[in-house]
Amino acid sequence: AQRVTQPEKLLSVFKGAPVELKCNYSYSGSPELFWYVQYSRQRLQLLLRHISRESIKGFTADLNKGETSFHLKKPFAQEEDSAMYYCALKSSGGTSYGKLTFGQGTILTVHP
Amino acid sequence: KAGVTQTPRYLIKTRGQQVTLSCSPISGHRSVSWYQQTPGQGLQFLFEYFSETQRNKGNFPGRFSGRQFSNSRSEMNVSTLELGDSALYLCASSLGGQNNEKLFFGSGTQLSVL
């Protein structure tokens, strides 16, 4: 069975400080990993996916298969980064259509 | 391009009743997935439809069912409602079937069962 763990329910940092949101997964195959974000009063939206190896809004995430982690990082947090962040896993292969396994989420608060 | 539209936004029902929720995907998207979101369990996958066929199903009882129409719009039905069915129900659409595909979520339907 696949599982996603986000160990921190709440994370508070000050503006300009580095931030790291942790995500660990359990999956025997080769996973597809995503970070989704939900800003206040907005719908859930994709932030980034591991396959793209991109930086979105200054955030990056590296898939570490040895540690089964996909932590989200940003060197200098901004107040507008305050939101709920979800790590999600999709199993590869042809039977996992539309099915994401989500972590419990981390509420990030960036203080001025 | 309009986003994923879910109706209604809010619903209040009593135990034992049944409810139908609607989701209109982004134009051109053929896959629709449904998720239940609760404070205790988080986001849990219900099922996914593509071209009017259910391709994937989560671990929910048979009281939860869905369907998809030829225009890709989808409905989700919950029969014999229980108090524990109170949740935010999210619908997501995508092109349908590609690896690492991005899901686009609706704003959800907040269901309260009294």
Side-chain angles (χ1 to χ4, degrees), chain A residues 4-92:
Chain A
V4 177
T5 303
Q6 292 179 251
E8 303 136 331
K9 199 164 187 175
L10 301 168
L11 185 61
S12 288
V13 299
F14 285 100
K15 177 182 172 182
V19 63
E20 180 179 72
L21 292 89
K22 290 184 168 43
C23 172
N24 290 90
Y25 67 90
S26 172
Y27 178 60
S28 56
S30 185
E32 299 173 18
L33 284 153
F34 307 83
W35 277 98
Y36 279 80
V37 61
Q38 188 165 29
Y39 301 102
S40 179
R41 288 185 294 278
Q42 293 187 30
R43 56 188 67 189
L44 193 60
Q45 58 187 286
L46 178 70
L47 180 62
L48 54 79
R49 44 194 154 178
H50 90 270
I51 196 71
S52 303
R53 302 185 69 81
E54 58 201 341
S55 174
I56 303 292
K57 299 185 178 183
F59 284 98
T60 58
D62 290 318
L63 175 60
N64 186 324
K65 290 188 178 180
E67 296 183 359
T68 59
S69 69
F70 188 56
H71 303 326
L72 183 68
K73 301 176 185 179
K74 184 169 183 177
F76 308 103
Q78 303 300 313
E79 289 179 69
E80 55 265 30
D81 296 329
S82 296
M84 171 74 99
Y85 291 81
Y86 291 97
C87 183
L89 177 152
K90 180 173 172 287
S91 56
S92 56

Side-chain angles (χ1 to χ4, degrees), chain B residues 18-21 47 62-67 75-79:
Chain B
Q18 69 95 27
V19 67
T20 300
L21 314 180
F47 28 65
R63 299 185 297 107
F64 291 81
S65 63
R67 59 178 175 167
E75 287 183 348
M76 191 191 103
N77 186 75
V78 188
S79 62

Side-chain angles (χ1 to χ4, degrees), chain B residues 35-87:
Chain B
Y35 288 81
Q36 182 195 65
Q37 185 175 26
T38 59
Q41 300 296 318
L43 281 152
Q44 292 188 289
F45 173 76
L46 280 154
F47 28 65
E48 186 260 0
Y49 287 86
F50 180 84
S51 292
E52 303 177 65
T53 301
Q54 186 184 86
R55 292 196 300 189
N56 208 349
K57 191 177 187 310
N59 298 321
F60 278 81
R63 299 185 297 107
F64 291 81
S65 63
R67 59 178 175 167
Q68 188 180 35
F69 302 95
S70 58
N71 62 357
S72 294
R73 188 178 71 85
S74 177
E75 287 183 348
M76 191 191 103
N77 186 75
V78 188
S79 62
T80 321
L81 283 165
E82 300 177 0
L83 295 178
D85 297 332
S86 295

